[in-house]
Amino acid sequence: MKFNITKLTLPVNELGRDFVVGDIHGHVSKLREQLKSLNFDQSQDRLICVGDLIDRGPESAQALDLLDEPWFFSVIGNHEFLMLSGLKHQNSKDRLVWIQNGGDWIASAPRDRWDHWFTKIECMPVGIEVTSSSGRKYGIVHADYPARDWADFDQFSDDDLQRCIWSRENFRSEAKHTVKGVDTIFHGHSVSDGKLELGNRVYIEPGVYMGADFIIHRLD
């Protein structure tokens, strides 16, 4: 499956606050509860997700519907990739992997929403870049960043983009190098006990689907 969009650059939020959150995995009600505790204002604040909106939780359809909200942004995760590849593009291997890893919710999802969800997933970028009002530059990529300079993103091959969605190489090796050209990169995908910082890469997937609270980090 080819990638049409690689990186989305968001303008500075001049009105409110920006937050980044880990994998949602179908736990929208819990997410909304935590956002409420932060006094999140949908009219001016923005929430950026590291991907994996769906599967393993009870509200995958509602999680995909977040993509219709003007205050919500997300990079594509491996679970969205599997849904699109397995269901729309009829890749039987990806479909089986997806169903075995939480995609069985689709059997009871309204069929008339599928095409809309496919369109939304196809528009999900592999990376998001946002600069805060203080001038700090942040990157959001689901699983890994397979380069040493943020500027290299624009030259990534399909294999590089796949690594952005799937790889745990830097996480497993606990690589502490710093990626140039960006202050901080946020990842999900790999579950850690709380927020894990490796160089200037921060992993914020604590395993909400296993009972943990979301990590929601304000981008100052």
Side-chain angles (χ1 to χ4, degrees):
M1 190 177 79
K2 292 289 185 179
F3 296 89
N4 296 319
I5 298 176
T6 56
K7 185 173 68 175
L8 169 68
T9 300
L10 295 177
V12 175
N13 187 351
E14 302 285 2
L15 298 176
R17 301 167 296 169
D18 285 340
F19 297 90
V20 62
V21 65
D23 301 21
I24 294 174
H25 278 307
H27 286 275
V28 177
S29 294
K30 186 171 187 175
L31 174 64
R32 290 187 182 278
E33 288 175 6
Q34 285 191 232
L35 289 176
K36 185 177 180 180
S37 71
L38 295 170
N39 296 315
F40 185 86
D41 184 345
Q42 297 180 7
S43 69
Q44 58 185 21
D45 297 333
R46 299 186 299 197
L47 182 66
I48 306 168
C49 181
V50 299
D52 277 2
L53 310 183
I54 58 173
D55 307 338
R56 298 179 176 166
E59 301 166 322
S60 288
Q62 294 91 327
L64 286 174
D65 287 342
L66 288 173
L67 295 171
D68 294 320
E69 299 289 350
W71 50 266
F72 183 84
F73 302 86
S74 180
V75 297
I76 190 169
N78 58 300
H79 284 255
E80 288 82 41
F81 176 89
L82 288 171
M83 178 180 175
L84 192 62
S85 176
L87 203 58
K88 179 177 181 179
H89 297 287
Q90 299 296 307
N91 182 309
S92 58
K93 180 180 177 181
D94 283 347
R95 181 185 176 93
L96 179 61
V97 171
W98 179 52
I99 295 298
Q100 290 176 337
N101 285 276
D104 52 340
W105 64 272
I106 196 65
S108 58
R111 181 62 181 86
D112 61 357
R113 295 291 292 164
W114 289 15
D115 289 341
H116 179 70
W117 289 336
F118 293 155
T119 299
K120 286 293 183 177
I121 293 173
E122 286 172 332
C123 291
M124 294 174 79
V126 176
I128 290 177
E129 177 184 311
V130 59
T131 301
S132 70
S133 56
S134 67
R136 292 180 60 83
K137 182 188 291 186
Y138 296 96
I140 296 89
V141 180
H142 179 60
D144 198 2
Y145 189 74
R148 296 299 181 101
D149 196 311
W150 184 247
D152 293 341
F153 209 135
D154 296 331
Q155 283 78 46
F156 275 178
S157 65
D158 278 354
D159 181 64
D160 292 325
L161 296 174
Q162 287 280 356
R163 290 173 67 188
C164 287
I165 294 174
W166 289 95
S167 177
R168 289 189 170 93
E169 181 180 346
N170 284 315
F171 176 83
R172 287 173 173 162
S173 66
E174 297 185 356
K176 295 181 173 61
H177 65 273
T178 295
V179 177
K180 297 178 181 179
V182 65
D183 290 293
T184 306
I185 300 177
F186 287 96
H187 298 300
H189 189 56
S190 299
V191 177
S192 58
D193 184 12
K195 185 165 60 176
L196 174 65
E197 298 184 17
L198 297 174
N200 64 339
R201 289 166 295 109
V202 182
Y203 293 82
I204 55 170
E205 163 55 330
V208 172
Y209 65 93
M210 296 185 289
D213 289 334
F214 283 105
I215 294 175
I216 305 177
H217 183 92
R218 182 175 175 180
L219 303 181
D220 295 319

